Coordinates of all heavy atoms in Angstrom, one line a residue:
M1 N 0.8 -1.2 0.0 CA 0.0 0.0 0.0 C 0.9 1.3 0.0 O 0.5 2.3 -0.5 CB -0.9 0.0 1.2 CG -1.9 1.1 1.2 SD -3.2 0.8 2.4 CE -4.2 2.2 2.1
A2 N 2.0 1.2 0.6 CA 2.9 2.4 0.6 C 3.3 2.9 -0.8 O 3.3 4.1 -1.0 CB 4.2 2.1 1.4
A3 N 3.6 2.0 -1.7 CA 3.9 2.4 -3.0 C 2.7 3.0 -3.7 O 2.9 4.0 -4.4 CB 4.4 1.2 -3.8
K4 N 1.5 2.5 -3.5 CA 0.3 3.1 -4.1 C 0.1 4.5 -3.6 O -0.2 5.4 -4.3 CB -0.9 2.2 -3.7 CG -2.1 2.4 -4.6 CD -3.3 1.6 -4.2 CE -3.0 0.1 -4.4 NZ -4.2 -0.7 -4.1
E5 N 0.3 4.7 -2.3 CA 0.1 6.0 -1.7 C 1.2 7.0 -2.2 O 0.9 8.2 -2.5 CB 0.1 6.0 -0.2 CG -1.0 5.3 0.4 CD -2.4 5.8 -0.1 OE1 -2.6 7.0 -0.2 OE2 -3.3 5.0 -0.3
T6 N 2.4 6.5 -2.4 CA 3.5 7.4 -2.9 C 3.2 7.9 -4.3 O 3.5 9.0 -4.6 CB 4.8 6.6 -2.8 OG1 5.1 6.2 -1.5 CG2 6.0 7.5 -3.3
E7 N 2.6 7.0 -5.1 CA 2.2 7.3 -6.5 C 1.3 8.5 -6.5 O 1.2 9.2 -7.5 CB 1.7 6.1 -7.2 CG 2.7 5.0 -7.4 CD 2.0 3.7 -8.0 OE1 0.8 3.8 -8.3 OE2 2.7 2.8 -8.1
K8 N 0.4 8.6 -5.5 CA -0.6 9.7 -5.5 C 0.0 11.1 -5.2 O -0.7 12.1 -5.3 CB -1.7 9.4 -4.5 CG -2.6 8.2 -4.9 CD -3.7 8.1 -3.9 CE -4.7 7.0 -4.3 NZ -5.8 6.9 -3.4
Q9 N 1.2 11.1 -4.7 CA 1.8 12.4 -4.3 C 1.8 13.3 -5.6 O 2.1 12.9 -6.7 CB 3.2 12.3 -3.8 CG 3.3 11.7 -2.4 CD 4.7 11.7 -1.8 OE1 5.6 12.2 -2.4 NE2 4.8 11.1 -0.7
I10 N 1.5 14.5 -5.4 CA 1.4 15.5 -6.5 C 2.8 16.1 -6.7 O 3.4 16.6 -5.8 CB 0.4 16.6 -6.1 CG1 -1.0 16.0 -5.8 CG2 0.2 17.6 -7.2 CD1 -1.9 16.9 -5.1
P11 N 3.2 16.1 -7.9 CA 4.5 16.7 -8.2 C 4.4 18.2 -7.9 O 3.4 18.8 -8.2 CB 4.7 16.5 -9.7 CG 3.8 15.4 -10.1 CD 2.7 15.4 -9.1
A12 N 5.5 18.8 -7.4 CA 5.5 20.2 -6.9 C 5.1 21.1 -8.1 O 4.4 22.1 -7.9 CB 6.9 20.5 -6.4
S13 N 5.5 20.8 -9.3 CA 5.2 21.6 -10.4 C 3.7 21.7 -10.8 O 3.3 22.6 -11.4 CB 6.0 21.2 -11.7 OG 5.6 19.9 -12.0
E14 N 3.0 20.7 -10.3 CA 1.5 20.6 -10.6 C 0.7 20.9 -9.4 O -0.6 20.9 -9.5 CB 1.2 19.2 -11.1 CG 1.8 18.8 -12.4 CD 1.5 17.3 -12.8 OE1 0.5 16.8 -12.2 OE2 2.3 16.8 -13.6
L15 N 1.3 21.3 -8.3 CA 0.6 21.5 -7.0 C -0.2 22.8 -7.1 O 0.3 23.8 -7.4 CB 1.5 21.4 -5.9 CG 0.9 21.4 -4.5 CD1 0.0 20.2 -4.3 CD2 2.0 21.5 -3.4
T16 N -1.5 22.7 -6.7 CA -2.3 23.9 -6.6 C -3.0 23.8 -5.2 O -2.9 22.7 -4.6 CB -3.5 23.9 -7.6 OG1 -4.3 22.8 -7.4 CG2 -2.9 24.0 -9.0
L17 N -3.5 24.8 -4.7 CA -4.2 24.8 -3.4 C -5.3 23.8 -3.4 O -5.5 23.0 -2.4 CB -4.7 26.2 -3.1 CG -5.0 26.5 -1.6 CD1 -3.9 26.2 -0.7 CD2 -5.5 27.9 -1.5
E18 N -6.1 23.7 -4.4 CA -7.2 22.8 -4.5 C -6.7 21.4 -4.5 O -7.3 20.5 -3.8 CB -8.0 23.1 -5.8 CG -8.7 24.4 -5.8 CD -7.8 25.6 -6.1 OE1 -6.7 25.4 -6.6 OE2 -8.3 26.7 -6.0
K19 N -5.7 21.1 -5.3 CA -5.1 19.7 -5.3 C -4.5 19.4 -3.9 O -4.6 18.2 -3.5 CB -4.0 19.6 -6.3 CG -4.6 19.5 -7.7 CD -3.5 19.4 -8.8 CE -4.0 19.4 -10.2 NZ -3.0 19.2 -11.2
A20 N -3.9 20.3 -3.2 CA -3.4 20.1 -1.9 C -4.5 19.7 -0.9 O -4.3 18.8 -0.1 CB -2.6 21.3 -1.4
F21 N -5.6 20.5 -1.0 CA -6.7 20.2 0.0 C -7.3 18.8 -0.3 O -7.6 18.1 0.6 CB -7.8 21.3 -0.1 CG -7.4 22.5 0.6 CD1 -7.6 23.8 0.0 CD2 -7.0 22.5 1.9 CE1 -7.4 24.9 0.6 CE2 -6.7 23.7 2.6 CZ -6.9 24.9 1.9
T22 N -7.4 18.5 -1.6 CA -7.9 17.2 -2.0 C -7.0 16.1 -1.5 O -7.5 15.1 -0.9 CB -8.1 17.0 -3.5 OG1 -9.0 18.0 -3.9 CG2 -8.6 15.7 -3.9
R23 N -5.7 16.2 -1.6 CA -4.8 15.2 -1.2 C -4.8 15.1 0.4 O -4.7 14.0 0.9 CB -3.4 15.5 -1.7 CG -2.3 14.5 -1.3 CD -2.6 13.2 -1.9 NE -1.6 12.2 -1.5 CZ -1.8 11.0 -1.1 NH1 -3.0 10.5 -1.3 NH2 -0.9 10.2 -0.7
L24 N -4.9 16.3 1.0 CA -5.0 16.2 2.5 C -6.2 15.4 3.0 O -6.1 14.7 3.9 CB -5.1 17.7 3.1 CG -3.7 18.4 3.1 CD1 -4.0 19.9 3.4 CD2 -2.8 17.8 4.2
D25 N -7.3 15.6 2.3 CA -8.5 14.8 2.6 C -8.2 13.3 2.4 O -8.6 12.5 3.2 CB -9.7 15.2 1.7 CG -10.4 16.5 2.1 OD1 -10.2 16.9 3.3 OD2 -11.0 17.1 1.3
E26 N -7.5 12.9 1.3 CA -7.2 11.5 1.1 C -6.3 11.0 2.2 O -6.4 9.9 2.7 CB -6.5 11.4 -0.2 CG -7.4 11.6 -1.4 CD -6.6 11.7 -2.7 OE1 -5.3 11.6 -2.7 OE2 -7.2 11.9 -3.8
L27 N -5.3 11.8 2.6 CA -4.4 11.4 3.7 C -5.1 11.2 5.0 O -4.8 10.3 5.8 CB -3.3 12.4 3.8 CG -2.3 12.5 2.6 CD1 -1.4 13.7 2.7 CD2 -1.5 11.2 2.5
L28 N -6.1 12.1 5.3 CA -6.8 12.0 6.5 C -7.6 10.7 6.5 O -7.7 10.0 7.6 CB -7.8 13.2 6.7 CG -7.1 14.5 7.2 CD1 -8.1 15.6 7.1 CD2 -6.6 14.3 8.6
E29 N -8.2 10.4 5.4 CA -8.9 9.1 5.3 C -8.0 7.9 5.5 O -8.3 7.0 6.2 CB -9.6 9.0 3.9 CG -10.6 7.9 3.8 CD -11.3 7.9 2.4 OE1 -11.7 9.0 2.0 OE2 -11.4 6.9 1.8
Q30 N -6.8 8.0 4.9 CA -5.8 6.9 5.1 C -5.4 6.8 6.6 O -5.3 5.7 7.1 CB -4.6 7.2 4.2 CG -3.5 6.2 4.4 CD -2.3 6.5 3.6 OE1 -2.2 7.4 2.8 NE2 -1.2 5.7 3.8
L31 N -5.2 7.9 7.2 CA -4.8 7.9 8.6 C -5.9 7.3 9.5 O -5.6 6.8 10.6 CB -4.3 9.3 9.1 CG -3.0 9.7 8.5 CD1 -2.8 11.2 8.8 CD2 -1.9 8.9 9.1
G32 N -7.1 7.4 9.1 CA -8.2 6.9 9.9 C -8.5 5.4 9.7 O -9.2 4.8 10.4
N33 N -7.7 4.8 8.7 CA -7.9 3.4 8.4 C -7.0 2.6 9.4 O -5.8 2.7 9.4 CB -7.5 3.1 7.0 CG -7.7 1.7 6.6 OD1 -7.9 0.8 7.4 ND2 -7.6 1.5 5.3
K34 N -7.6 1.7 10.2 CA -6.9 1.0 11.2 C -6.0 -0.1 10.5 O -5.1 -0.7 11.2 CB -7.9 0.3 12.2 CG -8.6 1.4 13.0 CD -9.5 0.7 14.0 CE -10.2 1.8 14.8 NZ -11.1 1.3 15.8
E35 N -6.2 -0.4 9.3 CA -5.4 -1.4 8.6 C -4.1 -0.9 8.0 O -3.3 -1.6 7.6 CB -6.2 -2.1 7.5 CG -7.4 -2.9 8.1 CD -8.2 -3.5 7.0 OE1 -7.7 -3.7 5.8 OE2 -9.4 -3.9 7.2
V36 N -3.9 0.4 8.1 CA -2.7 1.0 7.6 C -1.6 0.8 8.6 O -1.8 1.0 9.8 CB -3.0 2.5 7.3 CG1 -1.7 3.2 6.9 CG2 -4.0 2.7 6.2
S37 N -0.4 0.5 8.1 CA 0.7 0.2 9.0 C 1.2 1.5 9.6 O 0.9 2.6 9.1 CB 1.8 -0.5 8.2 OG 2.4 0.4 7.3
L38 N 2.0 1.4 10.6 CA 2.7 2.5 11.2 C 3.5 3.3 10.2 O 3.5 4.5 10.2 CB 3.5 2.1 12.4 CG 4.1 3.2 13.3 CD1 3.1 4.2 13.8 CD2 4.9 2.6 14.4
D39 N 4.3 2.5 9.4 CA 5.2 3.2 8.4 C 4.4 4.0 7.4 O 4.7 5.1 7.1 CB 6.1 2.2 7.7 CG 7.2 1.6 8.6 OD1 7.6 2.3 9.6 OD2 7.7 0.5 8.3
E40 N 3.3 3.4 6.9 CA 2.4 4.1 6.0 C 1.8 5.3 6.6 O 1.7 6.4 6.0 CB 1.4 3.1 5.4 CG 1.9 2.1 4.5 CD 0.9 1.0 4.2 OE1 0.0 0.7 5.1 OE2 1.0 0.4 3.1
S41 N 1.4 5.2 7.9 CA 0.8 6.3 8.6 C 1.8 7.4 8.8 O 1.5 8.6 8.6 CB 0.3 5.9 10.0 OG -0.8 5.0 9.8
F42 N 3.0 7.1 9.1 CA 4.1 8.1 9.2 C 4.3 8.8 7.9 O 4.5 10.0 7.8 CB 5.4 7.5 9.7 CG 6.5 8.5 9.9 CD1 6.5 9.4 10.9 CD2 7.5 8.6 8.9 CE1 7.5 10.3 11.1 CE2 8.5 9.5 9.0 CZ 8.5 10.4 10.1
Q43 N 4.4 8.0 6.8 CA 4.6 8.6 5.5 C 3.4 9.6 5.1 O 3.6 10.7 4.6 CB 4.7 7.6 4.4 CG 6.0 6.8 4.4 CD 6.0 5.7 3.4 OE1 5.0 5.3 2.9 NE2 7.2 5.1 3.3
A44 N 2.2 9.2 5.4 CA 1.0 10.0 5.2 C 1.1 11.3 6.0 O 0.8 12.4 5.6 CB -0.3 9.3 5.5
Y45 N 1.5 11.1 7.3 CA 1.6 12.3 8.2 C 2.7 13.3 7.7 O 2.5 14.5 7.6 CB 2.0 11.8 9.6 CG 2.2 12.9 10.6 CD1 1.1 13.5 11.2 CD2 3.5 13.4 10.9 CE1 1.3 14.6 12.1 CE2 3.7 14.5 11.8 CZ 2.6 15.0 12.4 OH 2.8 16.1 13.2
A46 N 3.8 12.7 7.2 CA 4.9 13.6 6.7 C 4.5 14.3 5.5 O 4.7 15.5 5.3 CB 6.2 12.7 6.4
E47 N 3.8 13.6 4.6 CA 3.3 14.3 3.3 C 2.3 15.3 3.7 O 2.3 16.5 3.2 CB 2.7 13.3 2.4 CG 2.2 13.9 1.1 CD 1.5 12.9 0.2 OE1 1.5 11.7 0.4 OE2 0.9 13.4 -0.8
G48 N 1.4 15.0 4.6 CA 0.4 16.0 5.1 C 1.0 17.2 5.7 O 0.5 18.4 5.4
T49 N 2.1 17.1 6.4 CA 2.8 18.2 7.0 C 3.3 19.1 5.9 O 3.2 20.3 6.0 CB 3.9 17.7 8.0 OG1 3.3 16.9 9.0 CG2 4.6 18.9 8.6
R50 N 3.9 18.5 4.9 CA 4.5 19.3 3.8 C 3.3 20.0 3.1 O 3.5 21.2 2.7 CB 5.2 18.4 2.8 CG 6.6 17.9 3.4 CD 7.4 17.2 2.3 NE 6.8 16.0 1.8 CZ 6.8 14.8 2.3 NH1 7.6 14.6 3.4 NH2 6.2 13.7 1.8
L51 N 2.2 19.3 2.9 CA 1.1 20.0 2.2 C 0.5 21.1 3.0 O 0.1 22.2 2.4 CB 0.0 19.0 1.9 CG 0.3 18.0 0.7 CD1 -0.7 16.9 0.7 CD2 0.5 18.7 -0.6
L52 N 0.4 20.9 4.3 CA -0.1 22.0 5.2 C 0.8 23.3 5.1 O 0.3 24.4 5.0 CB -0.2 21.6 6.6 CG -1.4 20.7 6.9 CD1 -1.4 20.2 8.3 CD2 -2.7 21.5 6.7
K53 N 2.1 23.0 5.1 CA 3.1 24.1 4.9 C 2.9 24.9 3.6 O 2.8 26.1 3.5 CB 4.5 23.7 5.1 CG 5.5 24.8 5.0 CD 6.9 24.4 5.1 CE 7.9 25.5 5.0 NZ 7.6 26.8 4.5
Y54 N 2.7 24.1 2.5 CA 2.4 24.7 1.2 C 1.2 25.5 1.3 O 1.2 26.7 0.8 CB 2.3 23.6 0.1 CG 1.7 24.1 -1.1 CD1 2.6 24.7 -2.1 CD2 0.4 24.0 -1.4 CE1 2.0 25.3 -3.2 CE2 -0.1 24.5 -2.6 CZ 0.7 25.1 -3.5 OH 0.1 25.7 -4.6
C55 N 0.1 25.0 1.8 CA -1.2 25.7 1.9 C -1.0 27.0 2.7 O -1.5 28.0 2.3 CB -2.3 24.8 2.5 SG -2.8 23.4 1.5
N56 N -0.4 26.9 3.9 CA -0.2 28.1 4.7 C 0.6 29.1 4.0 O 0.3 30.3 4.0 CB 0.5 27.7 6.0 CG -0.5 27.1 7.0 OD1 -1.7 27.3 6.9 ND2 0.0 26.2 7.8
D57 N 1.7 28.7 3.3 CA 2.5 29.7 2.6 C 1.8 30.3 1.4 O 1.8 31.5 1.2 CB 3.8 29.0 2.0 CG 4.8 28.6 3.1 OD1 4.6 29.0 4.3 OD2 5.7 27.8 2.8
H58 N 1.0 29.5 0.7 CA 0.2 30.0 -0.4 C -0.8 31.0 0.0 O -1.0 32.0 -0.6 CB -0.4 28.8 -1.2 CG -1.1 29.2 -2.5 ND1 -0.4 29.4 -3.6 CD2 -2.4 29.4 -2.8 CE1 -1.2 29.8 -4.6 NE2 -2.4 29.7 -4.1
L59 N -1.6 30.6 1.1 CA -2.6 31.5 1.6 C -2.0 32.8 2.1 O -2.6 33.9 2.0 CB -3.4 30.8 2.7 CG -4.3 29.7 2.2 CD1 -4.9 29.0 3.3 CD2 -5.4 30.3 1.3
D60 N -0.8 32.8 2.7 CA -0.1 34.0 3.2 C 0.2 34.9 2.0 O 0.0 36.1 2.1 CB 1.2 33.7 4.0 CG 0.9 33.1 5.4 OD1 -0.2 33.3 5.9 OD2 1.9 32.6 5.9
Q61 N 0.7 34.3 0.9 CA 1.0 35.1 -0.3 C -0.3 35.8 -0.8 O -0.2 36.9 -1.2 CB 1.6 34.2 -1.3 CG 3.0 33.7 -1.0 CD 3.5 32.7 -2.0 OE1 2.9 32.4 -3.0 NE2 4.8 32.3 -1.8
V62 N -1.4 35.0 -0.9 CA -2.6 35.6 -1.4 C -3.1 36.7 -0.5 O -3.5 37.8 -1.0 CB -3.7 34.5 -1.5 CG1 -5.1 35.1 -1.8 CG2 -3.3 33.5 -2.6
E63 N -3.0 36.5 0.8 CA -3.4 37.6 1.7 C -2.6 38.9 1.6 O -3.1 40.0 1.5 CB -3.3 37.1 3.2 CG -3.7 38.1 4.2 CD -3.6 37.6 5.6 OE1 -3.0 36.6 5.9 OE2 -4.2 38.3 6.5
K64 N -1.3 38.7 1.4 CA -0.4 39.9 1.2 C -0.8 40.6 -0.1 O -0.8 41.8 -0.2 CB 1.1 39.4 1.1 CG 1.6 39.0 2.5 CD 3.0 38.5 2.4 CE 3.5 38.0 3.8 NZ 4.8 37.3 3.7
R65 N -1.0 39.8 -1.2 CA -1.4 40.5 -2.5 C -2.8 41.2 -2.3 O -2.9 42.3 -2.9 CB -1.5 39.4 -3.6 CG -0.2 38.9 -4.0 CD -0.3 38.0 -5.2 NE -0.9 36.8 -4.8 CZ -0.9 35.7 -5.5 NH1 -0.3 35.6 -6.6 NH2 -1.6 34.6 -5.0
M66 N -3.7 40.6 -1.5 CA -5.0 41.3 -1.3 C -4.8 42.6 -0.5 O -5.4 43.6 -0.8 CB -5.9 40.4 -0.6 CG -6.4 39.2 -1.4 SD -7.5 38.1 -0.5 CE -8.9 39.1 -0.1
Q67 N -3.9 42.6 0.5 CA -3.6 43.8 1.2 C -3.0 44.9 0.3 O -3.4 46.1 0.5 CB -2.7 43.5 2.4 CG -3.3 42.7 3.5 CD -2.3 42.3 4.6 OE1 -1.1 42.3 4.4 NE2 -2.8 41.8 5.7
I68 N -2.1 44.5 -0.6 CA -1.5 45.5 -1.5 C -2.6 46.0 -2.4 O -2.7 47.3 -2.6 CB -0.4 44.8 -2.3 CG1 0.8 44.5 -1.4 CG2 0.0 45.7 -3.5 CD1 1.8 43.7 -2.0
L69 N -3.5 45.2 -2.9 CA -4.6 45.7 -3.8 C -5.5 46.6 -3.0 O -5.9 47.6 -3.5 CB -5.4 44.5 -4.3 CG -4.7 43.7 -5.4 CD1 -5.6 42.5 -5.8 CD2 -4.5 44.5 -6.7
D70 N -5.8 46.3 -1.8 CA -6.7 47.1 -0.9 C -6.0 48.5 -0.7 O -6.7 49.5 -0.8 CB -7.0 46.5 0.4 CG -8.0 45.3 0.3 OD1 -8.6 45.2 -0.8 OD2 -8.1 44.6 1.3
E71 N -4.7 48.5 -0.4 CA -4.0 49.7 -0.2 C -4.0 50.6 -1.5 O -4.2 51.8 -1.4 CB -2.6 49.5 0.3 CG -2.5 48.9 1.7 CD -1.1 48.4 2.0 OE1 -0.1 48.6 1.3 OE2 -1.0 47.8 3.1
E72 N -3.7 50.0 -2.6 CA -3.6 50.7 -3.9 C -5.0 51.3 -4.3 O -5.1 52.3 -4.9 CB -3.1 49.8 -5.0 CG -1.7 49.4 -4.8 CD -1.2 48.4 -5.9 OE1 -2.0 47.9 -6.6 OE2 0.1 48.2 -5.9
S73 N -6.1 50.6 -3.9 CA -7.4 51.0 -4.3 C -8.0 52.0 -3.3 O -9.1 52.5 -3.5 CB -8.3 49.8 -4.5 OG -8.6 49.1 -3.3
G74 N -7.4 52.1 -2.1 CA -7.9 52.9 -1.1 C -9.0 52.2 -0.2 O -9.7 52.9 0.6
L75 N -9.1 50.9 -0.4 CA -10.2 50.2 0.4 C -9.7 49.8 1.8 O -10.5 49.4 2.6 CB -10.6 49.0 -0.4 CG -11.3 49.2 -1.7 CD1 -11.6 47.9 -2.4 CD2 -12.6 50.0 -1.5
D76 N -8.4 50.0 2.1 CA -7.9 49.5 3.4 C -8.4 50.4 4.5 O -8.5 49.9 5.6 CB -6.4 49.5 3.4 CG -5.8 50.9 3.1 OD1 -6.4 51.7 2.4 OD2 -4.7 51.1 3.6
G77 N -8.9 51.6 4.3 CA -9.5 52.4 5.3 C -10.9 52.2 5.6 O -11.5 52.9 6.4
L78 N -11.6 51.4 4.8 CA -13.1 51.3 4.9 C -13.4 50.3 6.1 O -12.9 49.4 6.4 CB -13.7 50.7 3.6 CG -13.6 51.6 2.4 CD1 -14.2 51.0 1.2 CD2 -14.3 53.0 2.7

């Protein structure tokens, strides 16, 4: 099963926020399966941690861009 799960990992060049959230859902489902080995669970956890970091970084970038747009448009004072 570990090889099957590894195959599902999204290449960094194709990663989007939506794909990351979908993969996180898959990993949560895998972690909830009692038949998954400890090693597979650890791999899923490690991948999930990387995806969470990607999501947080991506959302931070979007927030910064929105703040810049608000400042440029004068909406930040509303």
Side-chain angles (χ1 to χ4, degrees):
M1 188 169 184
K4 198 182 291 183
E5 294 305 321
T6 302
E7 290 172 7
K8 289 186 177 183
Q9 287 186 5
I10 304 165
S13 62
E14 297 177 17
L15 190 60
T16 65
L17 196 57
E18 293 80 8
K19 287 181 181 180
F21 282 133
T22 299
R23 182 64 182 140
L24 283 167
D25 283 339
E26 292 170 357
L27 292 169
L28 284 172
E29 190 173 315
Q30 179 184 352
L31 287 169
N33 183 347
K34 294 180 181 184
E35 294 181 16
V36 174
S37 72
L38 182 59
D39 286 338
E40 291 169 331
S41 294
F42 179 76
Q43 289 175 347
Y45 178 82
E47 182 183 353
T49 301
R50 288 188 298 273
L51 287 171
L52 282 173
K53 182 180 179 344
Y54 167 82
C55 291
N56 284 331
D57 291 347
H58 188 77
L59 289 171
D60 284 346
Q61 290 174 0
V62 170
E63 183 179 13
K64 288 176 186 173
R65 287 186 292 197
M66 289 177 64
Q67 288 174 346
I68 290 170
L69 287 173
D70 286 348
E71 289 172 6
E72 289 174 353
S73 67
L75 294 175
D76 60 331
L78 295 179

